Amino acid sequence: MPWASRTPISGVTASWSRPVVNDPWKNARRPSARPPRATPLPPREGATAPPPGRGNDELRLYGWNAVQALFDKRPQALRKLYLVEELIPRLQPLLKWCVANRVGYRVVEEGDLNKLAATTHHEGVVADVLRAPMLELGDWLDGLPAGQPVLALWLDGVGNPHNFGAILRSAAHFGVAGLLLPPGATLALSGAAARVAEGGAEAVPLVRLPALPQAMAQLRAAGFGLAATLVEGGDNLFASTLPTRLVYVMGAEGEGMDRELAQDCDQQLSIPGSGAVESLNVASATAVLLAHWYGQKAR
């Protein structure tokens, strides 16, 4: 059955041709095992044709909220779209935008999306997109509103993508202005993190820090206080007054944060609890910390 006949969308026509022959699934016996591939479209006049395949500058997103947030904020970053037939009515605006802007999309089976996303948690839609550029610290500081309260997170070693996604979701909810990553950090947005973030990945920019002394000096010159977050040994978070411009410094999931870095911060804070468990994980702790600052700002 021709692909176009499977997509009865008013004003929308098929954007891709049949799959190319040379692909890694060509020996699969079942047709549904073949991944959707497409012959590249000719570039628009004045545009540069995208490189074949996904490089380090591209990301495979999946999940309804993650893809919709990308479309709402950075539609020009969309490179390819795959969806199940059931989502055609819900994705009409996105599909029509794809046609108008010569971006390839394709209706596929559930099994194909499972392979593309490498998970069943794709909610019927997968997209290949360009990553948002990481900001330099100076550029990020220059773009902040003058004289306004600002909250940021410094992630010192967080690596689990689900924790990262949960942190992004909480950060977006509480209006965090940026996630600061130290030099040499390998943390990067993944499809899993973006899905867990439920759209939050598009709301919070990633910022690359310079060397430690320079980063701290620049942040303090911009009016920020730095608060190290410790499992134990810090001041009671709920009894502490926080500055209106604050950077929470979060440690790694297992070993916590670097003690020398913690001592260099302006405050050292811990979240008190019942003691029934050793501590909160980094994502849960982040939500508590953000909520406390947000509540103080709102008073």
Side-chain angles (χ1 to χ4, degrees):
M1 180 183 297
W3 178 78
S5 68
R6 298 183 56 219
T7 56
I9 309 172
S10 175
V12 176
T13 56
S15 297
W16 287 4
S17 64
R18 63 180 181 176
V20 296
V21 174
N22 184 22
D23 68 67
W25 273 271
K26 66 181 179 180
N27 295 322
R29 293 182 179 180
R30 294 181 294 107
S32 63
R34 184 182 299 277
R37 300 285 299 276
T39 301
L41 293 166
R44 287 169 286 170
E45 184 178 355
T48 302
R54 284 185 300 132
N56 292 333
D57 62 338
E58 288 195 18
L59 169 67
R60 179 156 287 170
L61 287 182
Y62 52 87
W64 167 259
N65 286 328
V67 173
Q68 187 62 46
L70 181 282
F71 177 57
D72 290 342
K73 188 163 185 179
R74 296 189 300 127
Q76 73 283 357
L78 184 63
R79 288 296 174 264
K80 298 175 187 174
L81 180 71
Y82 313 87
L83 68 153
V84 293
E85 191 168 5
E86 291 78 9
L87 283 187
I88 289 173
R90 193 177 182 189
L91 286 172
Q92 282 267 343
L94 176 50
L95 295 177
K96 290 181 179 180
W97 186 92
C98 286
V99 171
N101 292 272
R102 299 184 63 78
V103 171
Y105 73 89
R106 190 162 188 180
V107 176
V108 298
E109 302 295 334
E110 185 89 8
D112 293 323
L113 290 185
N114 294 344
K115 294 180 177 68
L116 286 163
T119 179
T120 59
H121 301 297
H122 47 67
E123 299 172 346
V125 60
V126 174
D128 289 340
V129 305
L130 291 178
R131 293 182 180 275
M134 187 176 289
L135 302 177
E136 299 297 331
L137 179 60
D139 295 333
W140 176 74
L141 290 171
D142 289 343
L144 296 177
Q148 297 297 312
V150 181
L151 180 60
L153 286 172
W154 178 323
L155 302 185
D156 180 44
V158 175
N160 182 284
H162 291 88
N163 280 339
F164 186 32
I167 288 171
L168 282 166
R169 184 173 184 176
S170 296
H173 180 78
F174 290 110
V176 169
L179 264 59
L180 316 183
L181 303 180
T186 58
L187 185 64
L189 186 66
S190 65
R195 185 191 67 80
V196 173
E198 295 287 359
E202 289 298 323
V204 186
L206 301 184
V207 181
R208 181 186 293 108
L209 293 173
L212 181 65
Q214 181 183 349
M216 287 188 159
Q218 283 185 254
L219 289 166
R220 287 176 173 134
F224 282 93
L226 283 79
T229 57
L230 307 176
V231 172
E232 58 183 13
D235 296 332
N236 183 333
L237 170 70
F238 304 122
S240 300
T241 301
L242 304 175
T244 57
R245 285 199 163 199
L246 175 65
V247 177
Y248 279 124
V249 184
M250 310 298 302
E253 288 94 343
E255 61 271 22
M257 70 174 299
D258 180 85
R259 289 289 167 173
E260 184 176 345
L261 174 59
Q263 291 304 314
D264 286 340
C265 291
D266 306 305
Q267 293 176 278
Q268 294 78 38
L269 302 173
S270 296
I271 300 172
S274 67
V277 294
E278 182 180 359
S279 65
L280 297 172
N281 74 10
V282 67
S284 299
T286 298
V288 173
L289 292 159
L290 300 183
H292 183 62
W293 179 89
Y294 193 86
Q296 283 198 1
K297 183 194 74 166
R299 291 174 189 168

